[in-house]
C-alpha cells in the first residue's frame, strides 16, 4: 500500500472492506439487517451470503453498464438492478432453505433498502472498471459478512449458550436472555464498535510513538 | 374502531419499528444529531409512509394479485415508494415553499429508509385490509418519529457530555439506543399479539 498510496491496486480495493473501510464498523451502514437477523450465528451467515450475492451481482452489472446508464435516472436504475438480484436471492433461498427463509422473514426483500449496497453502486461501481468494482464488492460484502457473523455469534453464545445450535457450556450456564432480544443487538453492536475504536486508537498511538522515536534518533 | 386503535398503539409503542423491529435504523442514527432535523425527518417520513402504505396496498391488491405477478412485489413496491417520494417532493415544492424548506432535503433520503418498504411488505404478509394498512403505516411512522425525536434530544445532551474517547460517536449512540429499547420492552404486555 505504501508504494501505491495514490493509485490503489485491485488487491487494496479487496482488503479495504475488511477492516479499514468496514461497512459496519467504520461507515455504520446497513444497520437494519445487521441488528435484526443476528440473534443466531446461522441466520447471520445466511443473511451475509444473500447480501454477498446481491452486492457482487449488482456491482458487476452496474459497472459493466455504467456508460449506458443516464445520469439523471441512475439511482432508479441501480435500485431496479438491486431489486432484481434480491428477488433472485429471495426465491432461491425459499427453494433451498425454507426454514431459514421463514426465520429471516421480511428482511430478505429488505436487502433492497440496505443503504450499504446502494452506497457502493453510487460511490464506487458506477465510476470504476468491472475488475475494480468486483474486488470492491467482494471486499465490502466480506466485511459485512464478518461483522454479521461477529454480532450473531456473540449474541447466540451469550443469549443461549450455543453456537450454531451446539451447546457450548454445561447445564449451569444461565443464558442472558436480553442478548437475543432487541436491546441486546444494540448493546452488542455498541460494544463491538467500542472494541474497534479502541484497537484503532491503540494503533494510531503506537504509530505516533514510532514516528516520534524516529524523529528523536535523527 | 377498537381494532384500529389497537393496531395504532401496538405499532407505536409495543412493536416500535425502530427499537423492536430494527427498521429505519439508518436515518435513526444518521439524522438524530440535532432536534430540528429529527423533527423535519419525522414529519416527512410520516407523510410518505402513510401515503406509500396505501399506494402499495392498492398496487398489490389490484395489479399484482390479479395478474399473478407476486414475485415482482419487491421491485414493484420500491418503485411505488420512489414515485410517492418524487410526487410528494413535487407537490410540496409547488404548494408550500415554506414546508419545502423544512422537508426538502429529507425527502430523497426516505426512498432508502427500510421502514417504508418494511411496512409495505409486512402489510401484505399479515394480509391487512385497506384501512388497516393505512393505520399500520401511520402508526409505524408515528412511532418512528417519536423515537427519533426522543433520541435526538438525548444525543444533544451526549454531545456536550464528557464521553471517553473510544466511546465517542456511534458506539455511545448505540448503547443509548439499547437502553431505550430496554425501556420500550416495558410496553410489551400492553397489547396482546
Amino acid at each position: 500500500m505504501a508504494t501505491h498510496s495514490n493509485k490503489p491496486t485491485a488487491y487494496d480495493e479487496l482488503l479495504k472492506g475488511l477492516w479499514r473501510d468496514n461497512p459496519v464498523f467504520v461507515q455504520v451502514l446497513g444497520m437494519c439487517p445487521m441488528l435484526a437477523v443476528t440473534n443466531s450465528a446461522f441466520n447471520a451467515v445466511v443473511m451475509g451470503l444473500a447480501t454477498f450475492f446481491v452486492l457482487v451481482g449488482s456491482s458487476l452489472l452496474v459497472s459493466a453498464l455504467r456508460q449506458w446508464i443516464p445520469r439523471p435516472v441512475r439511482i432508479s436504475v441501480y435500485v431496479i438492478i438491486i431489486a432484481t438480484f434480491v428477488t433472485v436471492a429471495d426465491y432461491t433461498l425459499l427453494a433451498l432453505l425454507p426454514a431459514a427463509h421463514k426465520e429471516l422473514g421480511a428482511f430478505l426483500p429488505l436487502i433492497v433498502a440496505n443503504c450499504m449496497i446502494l452506497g457502493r453502486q453510487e460511490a464506487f461501481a458506477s465510476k470504476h472498471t468491472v475488475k475494480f468494482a468486483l474486488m470492491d464488492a467482494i471486499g465490502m460484502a466480506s466485511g459485512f459478512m464478518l461483522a454479521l457473523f461477529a454480532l450473531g455469534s456473540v449474541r447466540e453464545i451469550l443469549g443461549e449458550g450455543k453456537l450454531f445450535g451446539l451447546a457450548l457450556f454445561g447445564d449451569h450456564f444461565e443464558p442472558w436472555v436480553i442478548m437475543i432480544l432487541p436491546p441486546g443487538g444494540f448493546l452488542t453492536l455498541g460494544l463491538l464498535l467500542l472494541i474497534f475504536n479502541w484497537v484503532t486508537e491503540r494503533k494510531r498511538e503506537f504509530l505516533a510513538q514510532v514516528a516520534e522515536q524516529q524523529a528523536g534518533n535523527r | 374502531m377498537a381494532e384500529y386503535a389497537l393496531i395504532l398503539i401496538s405499532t407505536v409503542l409495543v412493536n416500535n419499528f425502530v427499537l423492536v423491529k430494527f427498521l429505519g435504523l439508518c436515518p435513526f442514527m444518521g439524522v438524530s444529531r440535532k432536534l430540528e432535523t429529527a423533527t423535519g425527518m419525522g414529519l416527512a417520513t410520516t407523510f410518505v409512509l402513510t401515503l406509500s402504505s396505501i399506494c402499495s396496498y392498492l398496487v398489490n391488491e389490484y395489479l399484482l394479485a390479479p395478474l399473478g405477478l407476486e414475485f415482482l412485489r419487491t421491485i414493484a413496491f420500491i418503485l411505488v415508494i420512489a414515485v410517492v417520494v418524487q410526487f410528494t417532493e413535487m407537490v410540496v415544492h409547488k404548494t408550500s415553499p415554506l414546508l419545502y424548506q423544512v422537508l426538502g432535503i429529507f425527502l430523497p433520503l426516505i426512498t432508502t429508509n427500510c421502514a417504508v418498504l418494511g411496512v409495505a411488505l409486512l402489510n401484505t404478509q399479515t394480509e391487512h385490509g385497506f384501512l388497516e394498512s393505512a393505520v399500520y403505516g401511520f402508526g409505524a411512522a408515528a412511532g418512528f418519529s417519536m423515537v427519533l425525536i426522543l433520541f435526538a434530544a438525548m444525543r444533544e445532551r451526549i454531545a456536550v457530555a464528557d464521553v471517553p474517547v473510544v466511546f465517542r460517536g456511534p458506539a455511545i449512540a448505540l448503547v443509548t439506543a439499547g437502553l431505550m429499547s430496554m425501556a420500550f420492552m416495558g410496553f410489551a404486555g400492553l397489547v396482546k399479539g
Side-chain angles (χ1 to χ4, degrees):
Chain A
M1 200 171 77
T3 48
H4 296 276
S5 51
N6 45 7
K7 199 161 183 282
T9 61
Y11 187 61
D12 286 335
E13 301 296 355
L14 183 69
L15 284 187
K16 72 167 189 237
L18 289 180
W19 185 267
R20 191 159 42 88
D21 277 337
N22 187 293
V24 178
F25 295 136
V26 179
Q27 306 177 24
V28 201
L29 289 177
M31 308 265 290
C32 309
M34 190 67 207
L35 291 167
V37 302
T38 51
N39 46 14
S40 79
F42 182 72
N43 285 352
V45 170
V46 173
M47 188 66 189
L49 287 176
T51 313
F52 188 92
F53 169 75
V54 173
L55 180 54
V56 172
S58 43
S59 276
L60 212 62
L61 207 59
V62 165
S63 79
L65 296 177
R66 69 186 186 283
Q67 267 125 22
W68 291 283
I69 298 176
R71 261 197 92 65
V73 293
R74 65 187 192 287
I75 302 284
S76 323
V77 176
Y78 301 158
V79 168
I80 292 174
I81 291 175
I82 296 170
T84 313
F85 279 102
V86 169
T87 309
V88 173
D90 191 10
Y91 279 83
T92 313
L93 207 62
L94 181 63
L96 295 178
L97 294 165
H101 183 270
K102 198 166 173 234
E103 191 98 342
L104 295 178
F107 279 94
L108 265 176
L110 278 176
I111 299 177
V112 180
N114 186 333
C115 36
M116 189 259 295
I117 295 181
L118 191 64
R120 284 337 282 168
Q121 312 309 328
E122 169 74 6
F124 200 92
S126 59
K127 295 180 189 132
H128 291 79
T129 55
V130 175
K131 183 181 156 205
F132 277 78
L134 184 67
M135 285 298 173
D136 172 76
I138 292 178
M140 283 293 163
S142 313
F144 188 71
M145 211 145 78
L146 198 75
L148 270 173
F149 179 68
L151 197 57
S153 46
V154 168
R155 285 179 73 187
E156 194 180 350
I157 290 172
L158 293 179
E160 291 189 85
K162 295 175 181 169
L163 187 60
F164 289 110
L166 293 170
L168 290 179
F169 310 109
D171 297 333
H172 301 292
F173 180 72
E174 186 66 43
W176 308 5
V177 182
I178 194 83
M179 289 319 249
I180 43 174
L181 293 175
F186 285 113
L187 294 177
T188 316
L189 187 57
L191 294 178
L192 283 179
L193 280 178
L194 172 74
I195 296 171
F196 194 89
N197 286 348
W198 183 70
V199 172
T200 318
E201 188 72 12
R202 283 285 297 262
K203 205 168 145 194
R204 203 181 54 79
E205 269 172 22
F206 176 73
L207 287 177
Q209 239 174 28
V210 170
E212 210 169 279
Q213 271 176 2
Q214 275 174 349
N217 287 344
R218 235 180 279 145
Chain B
M1 204 55 224
E3 191 189 335
Y4 298 121
L6 271 185
I7 293 184
L8 202 60
I9 293 176
S10 131
T11 45
V12 174
L13 293 176
V14 184
N15 289 317
N16 188 283
F17 261 64
V18 179
L19 294 176
V20 178
K21 292 204 164 164
F22 296 124
L23 289 166
L25 279 172
C26 295
F28 181 65
M29 285 290 160
V31 293
S32 58
R33 285 199 186 84
K34 268 198 183 146
L35 203 52
E36 287 159 36
T37 48
T39 318
M41 186 68 181
L43 280 176
T45 311
T46 309
F47 191 75
V48 170
L49 225 165
T50 314
L51 203 60
S52 73
S53 65
I54 294 171
C55 291
S56 52
Y57 171 80
L58 293 176
V59 165
N60 186 54
E61 196 68 16
Y62 296 106
L63 202 67
L64 297 183
L67 296 175
L69 290 174
E70 277 96 347
F71 63 91
L72 284 181
R73 196 178 280 151
T74 313
I75 301 180
F77 281 3
I78 196 94
L79 281 178
V80 167
I81 292 166
V83 169
V84 168
V85 168
Q86 195 77 55
F87 175 74
T88 315
E89 195 176 0
M90 274 154 57
V91 169
V92 172
H93 192 54
K94 283 269 174 343
T95 53
S96 161
L98 183 73
L99 204 60
Y100 187 75
Q101 256 185 2
V102 181
L103 305 183
I105 47 167
F106 301 110
L107 284 169
L109 285 175
I110 297 175
T111 319
T112 52
N113 181 344
C114 50
V116 183
L117 185 60
V119 166
L121 289 166
L122 287 173
N123 267 333
T124 55
Q125 264 179 17
T126 44
E127 291 172 359
H128 279 154
F130 179 75
L131 255 179
E132 283 168 316
S133 296
V135 172
Y136 193 69
F138 178 73
F144 171 80
S145 310
M146 183 182 75
V147 171
L148 184 67
I149 291 167
L150 286 175
F151 190 57
M154 268 192 257
R155 276 188 93 171
E156 281 193 346
R157 298 294 293 269
I158 292 174
V160 293
D162 184 21
V163 180
V165 179
V166 289
F167 241 131
R168 282 193 192 141
I172 189 74
L174 276 166
V175 173
T176 315
L179 295 177
M180 265 178 99
S181 171
M182 231 184 264
F184 267 70
M185 277 172 69
F187 291 118
L190 209 57
V191 177
K192 281 205 178 83

